[in-house]
Every structure is written in C-alpha cells, then in structure tokens.
Amino acid sequence: MNESVLLIGAGNLGSRHLQSLADAPWINRVVVVEPSQVAADVARTRWQDVPNSHGKSLAFITLDNALRHGPFDSAVIATPAPGRLDVLGAVLGLGIKRILCEKVLFQSEAELDEALEMVIEAGADVRVNHIYRYLDALVQLSKVTVGQTLSMSVDIDGDGMGCNLIHYVDLFAYLSGADVTALSAEIDLPVHESKRGGKFVEFTGNAVATDENGGQLRVTYHDKSPASAPRICVEGAFGRAIFDEATGSVVCDITALRDLSFSVPRVSALTASILMAQLDGRCLLPTLAQSAQMNRLMLRTFNQQLAGRHERDLACPIT
C-alpha cells in the first residue's frame, strides 16, 4: 500500500497526527493544509523527527488548491470547530471516503444536521477521535460492561469541561454499549477565556448523563489549581474499577483487568492505525452519526447555561 493522506490543521494536535502518518510504512505521501506559517514550521520539524518520514513526500498547500494535489485515500480534520463544516464539505468534495475528525465536532445543532446529510449523501465513513476507546484497559473492561447498567464517575481538578466533557460521555456510551438519552450540566460562573483564544470559553462544573440501560455518568471538574489528571470509577454487577490517569494505575476486582495499566495512547502513535482500521472495517471510534446525538445533548445543556437559551443555529463558544 502507498496511500496519500490529506491533513487539515497542523497545530499542536494536528502535528501529532502528522507524526503518526510519518511513521506508518503504508503511507507514502501527506499533504497538509495549515494557514499559520509558525504552526507549519513546527509541524515540518516534528515530521522530520520521525525516522520513517525519510523518503516520504510532505507538502503544504491551501485547501482551495487541494484538488490539484489529489487523489487522497483518507483525510484527518484537526481544525477548530468554527469553519469545520466548510472543511468537511471540501474534503467530501474531493471524493475522500475515510475521514478522522477531532472533537468538539461542531458548535451548533444546525451544523451537526447539515454535516450528517453531507456524509450520508457522500457515502463516507467519518469517525470522531475519542482515543479512550483504544486504551487497552478500557477495551478489556468493555468486554464485561457492554449491555450492563453502569455507574460511572469522573473527577478532575481543573477546568476544561467545555472542550473535554464529550470524551467522558463517549466513554460512558462505549462501555455500556447503549445510547446516551439525557445530559445536564451546571457550569461554574464566571467562565473565562479558553487558552485556545478569545472566541472560546472554558469552565469548571459538573454534568450528569443517563443511558437507555438506566446507567448514570457523573463528571465533576473541580475549581482547583494545579490541575490534575482524571480519576475514573466504573462499577456495576460486573465489579468495580478505578482508573487514575495521573499514576497510570488500575485498582479493581475484575479479573480481566488485573496487571493492566491506565496508559492513554499518544495521538502520534495512533492516527495511522485508526485510518487502517477504518479500511479494514474494525475501527473502534464512533461514527459521526453515533457521536452526533451526544454532541447534540451537550450543546443544548451548555447553551442553556451559557446563553440562557438554546436554538438549533446558536453557536456554543467551545472547541
């Protein structure tokens, strides 16, 4: 295989995607869209840091010039949420059928709906990059939890609820194998400007989700500094497991998880294998359609908290 991949967005996270593409022996060409020269320079350096990148083709282009540089076998979209709908439309217009997309997906329900229509019409496989699904201890846990009623809690010291809550809602759905049916949140005020810029806000707070099995998820972002990594507890009739991301420890009474650690895979080591898993039909990540409902619930509760109202086309200031 000698695949060509289109990467849109080569900032801090996008350049880590680029390193994974550089390392994969079956990818021989990567074309990058990144308007910031500073980010492009960092991305080029990170590409060169990967030994397997030597002999591969790397090019930086503008999106409106992408057709001249095709065809592409797959694409990774690592842009901020604003403007992502146009990016997705451009990628689909190039005939690309395998797409990996970063979260938060979109800022409004209207954009979610339009994206779903576009993807269905194009017959594309769009996956959302929730990499907890590739953490070995959680994969093993899912083998005993799917179909069960879960009680799951997540505690985090520090903010980041706006951009990261969706990770834990998705993990809850993955472990239970059930649709999330309700999500509510209470945001701590005042909110503050996100480190990603003045167009976005961040905050602490707590959220509660339920699924169709009657399970419940509770997520709490504590207003404490310095921030600490998540502590995740999952329990039910199958037993109890506590995961500490800071220490990498797993404390549990579940046989399948004994001697496992809680080591979150690096994006720079995972992206290419996800694209291959899409090709082979064994990708663990949620599809756009599966993820859309969870994002929809999150946008509704965040808008109510941040703006006092929710409308389909109201943009929630998170990314």
Side-chain angles (χ1 to χ4, degrees), residues 12-266:
N12 186 50
L13 183 58
S15 61
R16 297 306 183 188
H17 286 296
L18 182 62
Q19 286 185 309
S20 180
L21 303 177
D23 193 47
W26 51 276
I27 295 172
N28 73 335
R29 188 173 74 107
V30 180
V31 175
V32 180
V33 175
E34 175 48 64
S36 167
Q37 188 59 54
V38 172
D41 289 344
V42 172
R44 187 178 287 105
T45 298
R46 289 181 174 175
W47 166 277
Q48 293 168 347
D49 286 342
V50 179
N52 284 346
S53 68
H54 304 309
K56 294 187 177 186
S57 171
L58 175 67
F60 287 80
I61 65 167
T62 59
L63 184 55
D64 59 8
N65 206 23
L67 185 61
R68 289 178 48 199
H69 293 266
F72 302 100
D73 298 287
S74 57
V76 178
I77 300 176
T79 61
R84 185 175 286 158
L85 185 64
D86 291 338
V87 170
L88 177 61
V91 170
L92 293 172
L94 293 169
I96 301 173
K97 302 298 185 184
R98 273 185 292 143
I99 301 169
L100 175 63
C101 189
E102 278 299 334
K103 57 80 193 164
V104 169
L105 280 171
F106 303 98
Q107 291 183 303
S108 73
E109 279 199 78
E111 288 181 319
L112 275 171
D113 290 337
E114 189 171 346
L116 286 168
E117 291 178 6
M118 290 164 47
V119 168
I120 291 171
E121 183 176 349
D125 178 20
V126 179
R127 302 288 175 145
V128 185
N129 197 34
H130 291 297
I131 59 176
Y132 272 131
R133 292 184 177 225
Y134 276 88
L135 199 158
D136 187 48
L138 295 175
V139 172
Q140 298 306 316
L141 179 61
S142 72
K143 294 177 181 179
V144 299
T145 59
V146 168
Q148 302 291 316
T149 301
L150 305 185
S151 176
M152 176 175 163
S153 65
V154 183
D155 283 275
I156 304 169
D157 294 341
D159 69 3
M161 184 173 173
C163 65
N164 287 320
L165 174 63
I166 195 65
H167 274 309
Y168 305 108
V169 179
D170 177 78
L171 178 58
F172 178 52
Y174 171 63
L175 292 176
S176 70
D179 291 336
V180 177
T181 54
L183 174 64
S184 62
E186 292 184 3
I187 292 173
D188 296 329
L189 300 176
V191 300
H192 61 87
E193 181 180 320
S194 167
K195 63 182 180 181
R196 292 170 175 83
K199 294 181 179 179
F200 311 115
V201 298
E202 261 308 345
F203 40 86
T204 55
N206 61 80
V208 178
T210 55
D211 66 16
E212 59 187 354
N213 289 341
Q216 186 176 81
L217 164 70
R218 291 185 176 274
V219 182
T220 303
Y221 281 79
H222 303 277
D223 188 8
K224 294 181 180 179
S225 183
S228 66
R231 299 169 298 281
I232 302 172
C233 178
V234 182
E235 54 190 326
F238 48 82
R240 186 169 189 256
I242 300 173
F243 306 92
D244 189 328
E245 191 167 322
T247 63
S249 65
V250 180
V251 178
C252 71
D253 57 7
I254 302 171
T255 302
L257 271 63
R258 288 178 183 167
D259 301 322
L260 294 180
S261 63
F262 191 71
S263 179
V264 180
R266 294 174 292 111

